[in-house]
Amino acid sequence: MLILGIETSCDETSVALIEDGRFIRSNYIASQIKLHAEFGGVVPELASRAHIQKLIPMVEECLAKAGISLCDVDAIGVTRGPGLIGALLVGVETGKALGFAAGKPVIPVNHVAGHLYAPFLVSDDPGYKPIVVDGGKRCDDQIGPDGPLVYPYMGLIVSGGHTSLVAVKGPGIYELLGETVDDAAGEAFDKVAKLLDLGYPGGPVIDRLAKTGNRRRFPFPRPMLHQKNLDFSFSGLKTAVLSVVRDLGVEAIRADEQLLADLCASFQEAVTEVLFRKAEMAMKQRRCRELAVVGGVACNSRIREAAAEYVRGARVVFPAPTLCADNAAMIAGLAFHMRDGHGACDLTMNAEADLPVSRPS
Ligand code: KG4
Ligand code: ZN
C-alpha cells in the first residue's frame, strides 16, 4: 500500500511516499529556516505563505520522480495538528483537494504521534538508519523485522514546540505521562542562543559550540528533577543562563571562545540530564525498558552520546536526524496504521492547532 504524506505544521514543507507503513520511497523536505532567520523565530503568516508556494510543486515533483501519478497512490496522510493553524490548514486543505480530485481517502495524522512513529521507518539509504543504544552500548544492527522497538515503549518527544513523555502502547495508542509546564526543550535552546546572539535556530549552533566546552564549568539547575511527577520546566534554566550573560556581558562571552563553549556545554548538559533522568523515572514507573527519543532536539550530538551514560538498564533508539526533524515520511508511515474508517475523502476534516497526542487522528 502506497501512501503520500503531507506535513506543513510549522516551518518545513514536506512530502513523502511510504510503502506499507515503513519503507521510504521518497521524503522531500523544504526548510524555511532562511525565511524566518532574520526575525529570530518562525513568523506564522510567512510560514503559511511559503507552504502555499511550495506544497503543490513538491507533490508534483515527488510523484514525477517516482514515475507515478496521484491515481497510483492508495491514500493521502496529512498532519492535522498540533502546530500553527495557518500552516496546518495549507496541508489539510491541499490534502483534501487532492483526495477529492483523485478519489482517495485522506487520513488525518497527529504530528506528535508521527514523531513517535519515526523509529520504524526504513530505507535503502544508510543515512536513514536509527541509532540503537542498549545497556550503555551501541548496537545499531540489532533491529528486529518489525523495527528497532517493541510496543509498548516510552516516547520522549523533544522539539521546538513539545517536550513530553508518552507511553506508546501501539501505533495510534498513546498516554501522555508528563510534559513541559513552560518552554519546550528546543525553545530553550533557541532562546539561550538568542541571548548569546547566535542566530536562529539555536539548537544546532549550541550543539556545535558545546563540542569543545566544559560541561561542568557552570553548575546550572536541573529543573523539576526532585519532583516525582514527569513534567519538565526549562524557563528557569534559561533565566539562569541569562543571569550569567548579564554578569559577564554578551560581548565579553562572545570574545572568549572557551567561555562561550563552556556556557553552551553547561546549558546543554543540564537539558540532557533532566531529559534522561525524567525518562528513566517514567520507564521505572511503567516497568518499560525501551525508549524512543524523537523530535528536532533528538538531533543533538551530546544527547545522542549521553544516552549510553545516563540510561543504563534500557534500550534507547534515536531515528536518523532527517527523521527527527519535521518530515512527511513519519506522517505517511503512521497514516498506514490509522487507515481504518477512512474510506472516502472526508471534506469536513479540519486542522486543530492544539490537537493532543491522546487523539492521534
Ligand atoms: O521537531 P522540530 O524540527 O520542529 C518542531 O516540531 O518544533 O524541532 C525544531 C527544534 C528547534 O528548537 C531547534 O533548535 C531544535 O529542534 N534542534 C536542536 C538541534 N537541531 C534542531 N536542538 C539541539 N541540538 C540540535 N542539534
Ligand atoms: Zn515536530
Side-chain angles (χ1 to χ4, degrees):
M1 184 177 211
L2 191 62
I3 297 189
L4 174 75
I6 294 176
E7 155 65 40
T8 63
S9 67
C10 190
D11 59 345
E12 259 106 27
T13 316
S14 182
V15 174
L17 278 172
I18 302 295
E19 237 172 276
D20 298 333
R22 291 196 61 200
F23 302 96
I24 302 174
R25 288 262 296 259
S26 59
N27 183 33
Y28 295 87
I29 303 170
S31 168
Q32 301 177 3
I33 282 180
K34 281 197 190 129
L35 181 67
H36 302 291
E38 66 170 298
F39 302 99
V42 179
V43 182
E45 178 70 21
L46 293 182
S48 312
R49 286 167 187 262
H51 287 310
I52 289 173
Q53 282 175 347
K54 288 271 178 191
L55 186 53
I56 292 285
M58 283 176 73
V59 170
E60 282 174 338
E61 189 187 341
C62 174
L63 295 172
K65 288 240 168 89
I68 61 173
S69 77
L70 200 53
C71 302
D72 300 312
V73 307
D74 296 288
I76 298 165
V78 61
T79 305
R80 183 168 100 76
L84 302 170
I85 191 66
L88 288 165
L89 278 167
V90 176
V92 166
E93 294 307 317
T94 304
K96 282 174 6 187
L98 294 174
F100 183 68
K104 305 290 176 183
V106 179
I107 306 161
V109 175
N110 181 307
H111 177 82
V112 172
H115 275 301
L116 288 165
Y117 185 74
F120 292 96
L121 297 166
V122 289
S123 166
D124 293 334
D125 178 346
Y128 277 110
K129 270 193 88 163
I131 281 181
V132 183
V133 180
D134 203 340
K137 290 202 180 68
R138 278 285 288 272
C139 51
D140 299 354
D141 290 322
Q142 284 179 22
I143 296 180
D146 297 325
L149 292 159
V150 175
Y151 294 104
Y153 62 88
M154 193 58 62
L156 172 62
I157 301 123
V158 273
S159 72
H162 306 272
T163 302
S164 338
L165 277 161
V166 175
V168 184
K169 300 169 182 181
I173 314 168
Y174 312 96
E175 183 185 346
L176 179 66
L177 304 179
E179 62 188 334
T180 181
V181 297
D182 42 54
D183 292 347
E187 205 177 343
F189 269 96
D190 295 339
K191 286 181 175 171
V192 164
K194 208 168 189 174
L195 293 177
L196 294 167
D197 238 343
L198 296 174
Y200 175 84
V205 189
I206 290 181
D207 188 350
R208 181 170 48 77
L209 292 171
K211 283 188 201 297
T212 51
N214 174 358
R215 307 197 274 269
R216 279 175 271 280
R217 173 151 174 197
F218 296 94
F220 288 129
R222 271 52 173 164
M224 310 281 276
L225 218 50
H226 299 294
Q227 295 188 19
K228 284 227 162 64
N229 65 46
L230 296 172
D231 288 335
F232 299 92
S233 164
F234 292 105
S235 80
L237 177 56
K238 175 197 65 196
T239 309
V241 178
L242 175 63
S243 104
V244 172
V245 174
R246 282 211 180 117
D247 285 351
L248 303 178
V250 183
E251 264 104 69
I253 297 171
R254 297 289 307 262
D256 183 339
E257 225 174 86
Q258 193 58 51
L259 176 60
L260 179 61
D262 293 348
L263 190 56
C264 289
S266 300
F267 160 75
Q268 184 173 270
E269 196 62 16
V271 175
T272 304
E273 182 170 351
V274 170
L275 291 174
F276 283 126
R277 295 251 184 265
K278 284 274 173 174
E280 272 212 309
M281 275 169 67
M283 286 191 285
K284 223 174 187 176
Q285 279 182 22
R286 293 294 165 130
R287 294 202 176 84
C288 161
R289 67 166 311 281
E290 305 210 28
L291 173 71
V293 189
V294 301
V297 181
C299 296
N300 184 272
S301 58
R302 174 60 191 151
I303 294 177
R304 285 173 173 252
E305 170 195 77
E309 296 162 34
Y310 285 114
V311 189
R312 284 294 176 165
R315 184 178 170 85
V316 190
V317 177
F318 293 90
T322 317
L323 297 174
C324 283
D326 290 347
N327 67 86
M330 65 188 191
I331 302 302
L334 184 57
F336 173 79
H337 299 277
M338 314 290 294
R339 65 193 187 281
D340 283 356
H342 294 286
C345 173
D346 174 13
L347 292 177
T348 66
M349 191 246 289
N350 206 352
E352 206 174 315
D354 299 317
L355 189 68
V357 71
S358 53
R359 278 164 49 214
S361 196

